[in-house]
Amino acid sequence: QVQLVESGGGLVQAGGSLRLSCVASGRIPWIYVMNWYRQAPGKQRELVATITGGGNTNYADSVKGRFTVSRDNAKNTVHLQMNSLKPEDTAVYYCNAHLNIKSDYWGQGTQVTVSS
């Protein structure tokens, strides 16, 4: 079974940057879509960024221009570079590998807190 582990979260001031990483214990085929989600207390889970095996990306409007997602299929890793962070970015960030409803893997999450 594939396990995903996120790292890189922490406390930063508004305007700062963080780089999140997600490492898979097993192989992630290139056809899987890799996603970053986030969830703040009292709010629904939000899709933040997506990257396909071919390198196509998509971002939530709230982070477009500030966040960049990338992947290294050979190393089974994905990253989320977060710049110009805002207090509203505060949330637990989750890495997700998705192929279909039966092949859908999640990490434990990493906390990102942005102070004003």
Side-chain angles (χ1 to χ4, degrees), residues 59-72:
Y59 301 91
D61 288 340
S62 59
V63 307
K64 192 172 297 182
R66 300 187 297 119
F67 290 11
T68 302
V69 63
S70 61
R71 71 189 292 174
D72 185 336

Side-chain angles (χ1 to χ4, degrees), residues 66-116:
R66 300 187 297 119
F67 290 11
T68 302
V69 63
S70 61
R71 71 189 292 174
D72 185 336
N73 291 326
K75 295 182 178 180
N76 294 305
T77 60
V78 295
H79 301 279
L80 185 67
Q81 178 67 45
M82 306 186 296
N83 299 325
S84 302
L85 284 162
K86 304 175 181 180
E88 49 263 45
D89 295 320
T90 296
V92 177
Y93 284 71
Y94 297 93
C95 179
N96 166 249
H98 179 80
L99 178 62
N100 53 49
I101 194 169
K102 292 185 177 181
S103 298
D104 189 47
Y105 304 99
W106 294 85
Q108 297 297 311
T110 185
Q111 177 71 49
V112 172
T113 302
V114 184
S115 62
S116 60

